[in-house]
Each structure stands twice: as C-alpha cells, then as structure tokens.
Amino acid sequence: MVQFTEEISKDLKKAKVGNGFFKGILGFQHLIAMFGATVLVPLLTGLDPAVALFSAGLGTLIFHLCTKGKVPVFLGSSFAFIPVIQVVAKEYGDLRYAQGGIVTVGLIYVILSFIIKKIGVDKIRKVLPAQVVGPMIMVIGLNLIPDALKNAGVNGLLGGETGAIRNVLIAAVTLGLALIIKHYGKGMLKQVAILIAVVVGYGISYAMGIVETGAISEAALLAVPNFTLPKFDLSAILIIVPVVLAVFMEHVGDITTNGQVVGKNFIEDPGLNRTMLGDGLATFAAGLIGGPANTTYGENTGVLAITKNYDPSILRITAVFAILLSFIGKFRAVIVTMPSPVMGGISLMLFSMIAIVGVQTIKREKVEMNIQNIIIIIAILFIGLSGNILSTPIGIRVTSSVSISGLSLAGIVGVILNQVMNLTYRKNK
C-alpha cells in the first residue's frame, strides 16, 4: 500500500513539469473520454453524478492497487445495472437499498476472484480462445456504435428532426478533426487528437448556441458530492445480484480487449483473479458511498488504441483528476453540458477502434477458419448484435427484472459451442 501510494505521488509530481506535464494532458484526455458515459448512469438512475465521478476515480486507484499498477484501465459507471437500480428505486423509493445490492455485488466479485485463482488461468484460457474472445471484442465495439450514431444526430437526420443537420455536421467536424490529427499529426499533437477535437467541437457548439450556459453559470464553484450510506434488504439485493451473470463476461472481454490493445496478456499477468478483485473492491467502495457499480471502460481502451501510449500511471493521474473535479461544480457543469453531437463524433472513433481490435485478435492468433470456428464466430456475432439486428434481442430471462442478453449471452454460447466443437472433434479424430 505504501509503495503504491508513493507511485501515485510520483505520478502527480511528474504531471507538473516536462514529460510529466504531457502525462497530465493525456490523463485529462482519458477523463474527457469517460466522463459522458460515467455521469449518464447516475443521470438515468437518480444517483449523484458527482459521487459517480468520485467513486470512478477511487475505484480506479483501488483497481490499480489490486493489479500491481500493471493494467492501464479506468473504471466507470456500469450500464448493466441501470434497469435493476431503476426497479429498486421504483419499488422502494430509496436508492440506498440499491446501494446495498451494489455492495453485495462487489463482495460476490471478490469471491469470484478467489475462485478464479483456485481454478487457474490456464483453464480460463482454454475456455476463452481467440475464436471466442475476438468476436466478443467485436461485439463490444459494434454494439456501442449505434449509440454513437444516435448522439451524432444520424437518427434525427433520418427522421427529419429539427437541428439534425447541424448536429451531424458538428459530429462530422469533431470526428474528422480527430482523424486528421491522428493521421497527420506528430508527437504530442498526435496523442492529444481526441482532446483537441472535443474542445473544437464544444467551441463550435457554443457558437451555435446549443450549449446550456445557464447550468454552468448557476453551478457553484465548489460543491461536496452527496455521499450516502447503503441500506440492506434481501428482496432489493436479489433484484440487483443476478446482474453478476451479465457482467462477468463483459469484464473478461474488456480486460482481454485492453490487453490486446497494449500487446500484453493481462488475463495471465497480473491475472484475471486480480482484475476481478479490483473490480469487486471498487464496486464495493462505490456502493458504500452512493455511487453506481464500477466496470472497465471501452472508451478509455479506445483512447489507448488511438494514442498508442499505454502507461498505467496516466490512468492513475486521470483517477486523481476525477476525484478532485468531483468537488468542482463549475467543471462538472461544463462536462455535463457537453453537446451530444461532440461526444457522438468522438465515440464513433473510439468504438470503431475496439471492433477493429477484435478482428486483429482473430488475425494475430491465426485462428483457423474451419467450419467449427466459423460457426462459433457467427453465433457470437449474431447473438451479441441481435439487439441491433432483430426487433427484440435474443436473451434468457433470469428473474422478472433481469435477463441475460447481448455480450453476456453471446460469450456464454461461444464458450459452450467451443467446448462442444472440441469434444466432437476429438471423438471423430
């Protein structure tokens, strides 16, 4: 703990001058990338966005402590918990009961981490080969792209909504500028392409009058987040807990994606058990203070893929920024009023990069395109993207309020299919 604290201190000291100042800029860029999605969860559930930001920063530091500071990951608010938090809020009229469920989920993550350690990484790798993991990564990115298009105003343009052309143009300028700087820029300029594009997009939006300046002027300069303690009720806990089934495969996919981007096997070192432990303790801490459950963030993995800078200390600097800025009301107001076309344009770039990483995973691991692997890949893609392909996503209902669908079900089906295919192959051999 002392050594880890010293590392954070060194990160902050370096962030003041020279190369460290550059790290600070990169850390701020990561903050911009994750901010919109992290505060969206509390906005949809009634939790305090400032607490969500604080718990994201705290959770990230906890995660880095558990993973020996090796994994360049930022933890943000988990979207998987939105429906069950809303159910608890409706039935109990008190979000503190949802906090109790989130605390319990964190403890279950911790238990799972010890089970994973007992089973061993080799067995995990056998059930999660490239023909399963690659398509899972693709599903993560491809499932997020429709949301990016919606934020960019494409849906409104197709529906003839007022202002849709303006929104699409802002998104296009933001995305285009980021791509141009990324392709033609050099050195530091190239690595802060996202930040520059977002600032320019925000400026254009302000000039066009679509930034809610009233919210910024009314916000206090300093404001303490609304921390609350959890309440525990077995029925409320049983509403929240089944989501664990849906997020485990998401965690595996995100950690694998992050490792593929960086070029390291984080499932093996520091180990899936440690990443799961970090996620669990971070979620536990978030539930204790009134924040949403934490999860690894694809937005930040996308930033890693674009900048090619994989230094984990940058994410720790981001975490400290998040904690400090959770107390600055004016800044929170500026970010919360970030126009959706700006975030939509940048998100298209980030989410597309994740999907490409999935394709690269299949190529890098030299997956043989035989009939067995093709069936596995198609099944994962179809089930994982069914929400975008079909009117109703393919899923399995666990309880009246929880169902397994999307990446979770696709991953489960992929793992089972792979085992069945291998067993059939060995019998026929």
Side-chain angles (χ1 to χ4, degrees), residues 31-32 34-43 47-50 52-53 202 210-213 215-216 219 325-326 328-341 343:
L31 182 68
I32 294 296
M34 54 65 60
F35 199 103
T38 287
V39 300
L40 179 61
V41 173
L43 289 176
L47 295 170
D48 186 353
L53 185 59
Y202 193 99
I210 63 173
V211 176
E212 297 179 14
T213 55
I216 299 174
L325 291 173
S326 69
I328 302 177
K330 290 290 186 183
F331 176 81
R332 295 203 306 266
V334 170
I335 300 299
V336 170
T337 57
M338 181 73 67
S340 59
M343 294 309 298

Side-chain angles (χ1 to χ4, degrees), residues 83-115:
V84 290
I85 292 176
Q86 291 175 333
V87 169
V88 171
K90 182 178 180 180
E91 293 190 7
Y92 288 81
D94 191 339
L95 283 168
R96 288 177 291 179
Y97 287 105
Q99 286 180 240
I102 292 170
V103 168
T104 306
V105 166
L107 292 175
I108 293 175
Y109 284 171
V110 173
I111 294 171
L112 281 174
S113 72
F114 288 110
I115 294 174

Side-chain angles (χ1 to χ4, degrees), residues 22 26 181-182 184-193 306-307 309:
F22 181 40
L26 291 177
I181 296 175
K182 174 61 183 173
Y184 295 104
K186 295 182 179 180
M188 178 179 176
L189 179 65
K190 185 174 184 178
Q191 294 200 34
V192 295
I306 291 169
T307 64
N309 194 319

Side-chain angles (χ1 to χ4, degrees), residues 1 11 19 50 81 97 118 148 157 169 174 247 278 289 295 304 319 341-342 344 351 354 385-386 393 412 417 422 429:
M1 173 68 78
D11 294 338
N19 184 56
F81 287 81
Y97 287 105
K118 183 70 174 179
L157 184 63
L169 287 176
T174 305
V247 296
I289 61 177
T295 187
L304 294 175
V342 176
F351 300 153
I354 295 173
L385 299 174
S386 62
I412 293 170
L417 266 179
N422 287 340
K429 190 173 180 180

Side-chain angles (χ1 to χ4, degrees), residues 145 148-149 152 154 167-183 193-194 196-202 204 306 341-353:
I145 287 177
L149 290 172
V154 174
N167 292 343
V168 171
L169 287 176
I170 292 173
V173 170
T174 305
L175 173 61
L177 181 58
L179 291 173
I180 290 171
I181 296 175
K182 174 61 183 173
H183 185 73
I194 296 172
I196 293 173
V198 167
V199 170
V200 171
Y202 193 99
I204 294 173
I306 291 169
V342 176
M343 294 309 298
I346 285 297
S347 296
L348 276 173
M349 183 178 182
L350 299 179
F351 300 153
S352 297
M353 287 298 299

Side-chain angles (χ1 to χ4, degrees), residues 131-152:
Q131 61 265 31
V132 173
V133 172
M136 284 171 57
I137 296 173
M138 293 170 64
V139 168
I140 291 174
L142 294 174
N143 259 328
L144 293 170
I145 287 177
D147 291 331
L149 290 172
K150 181 179 179 180
N151 287 331

